[in-house]
Amino acid sequence: LPKIAKRVLEDYDHTIAENKLQFKEVFSGDLPEIQTDLFLLKTIFHVLIANAVNYTPAEGTITMTISVDPTRTNTFLLTVKDTGYGIPKDQQEKIFTKIFRATNVKTKVIAGNGLGLYIVKLMLALNGGEIWFTSEENKGSSFMVALPFVPKRIESSPSA
């Protein structure tokens, strides 16, 4: 998981540096190697990282945390927290709908079509996962993902 996250993060290195964003990575030491749908994971990472980068003003902070869920078997937790614009309270119920963008960012951020979170929620639902968030306008947002995983099988060598 950290390798995939870091590869996706490379796509945003320039924007992070240009906007003087502080990006923190917190990866739990007990993360197992997993068998996974690489496209699914990359899509989740891309959408959450892109949103945090695009909706956090210069000199803000973004923290990405990946850990194993202590309450669910074979499930990892991903959290992307930012100090960005946040989502107005009266619009939060629409955040996972198609083609929705909060009104407080439409004039600040050019990128985005309002499909990313909708697609991620749909992909997670089809794969037994879930996404939720907390947000406060002008203070930031935290998006959390729980996704079941299959531990990678260790190939045993044939007996002689």
Side-chain angles (χ1 to χ4, degrees), residues 19 23 30 33 51 55 64 84 87 90 96 98 105 120 152 155 160:
N19 291 330
F23 199 100
D30 62 350
E33 287 195 35
N51 283 354
Y55 297 115
M64 177 173 53
I87 304 158
D90 65 339
F96 295 112
K98 239 190 281 190
V105 296
V120 165
K152 187 173 183 178
E155 299 294 326

Side-chain angles (χ1 to χ4, degrees), residues 101-144:
R101 291 183 68 205
T103 56
N104 66 327
V105 296
K106 286 184 179 179
T107 59
K108 297 176 185 173
V109 180
I110 296 170
N113 55 21
L115 287 173
L117 290 172
Y118 170 77
I119 291 168
V120 165
K121 184 168 179 89
L122 182 61
M123 290 174 77
L124 284 164
L126 292 171
N127 287 279
E130 60 183 312
I131 184 170
W132 66 98
F133 72 99
T134 60
S135 186
E136 190 173 341
E137 193 169 5
N138 299 315
K139 293 196 177 181
S141 301
S142 292
F143 281 84
M144 287 73 66

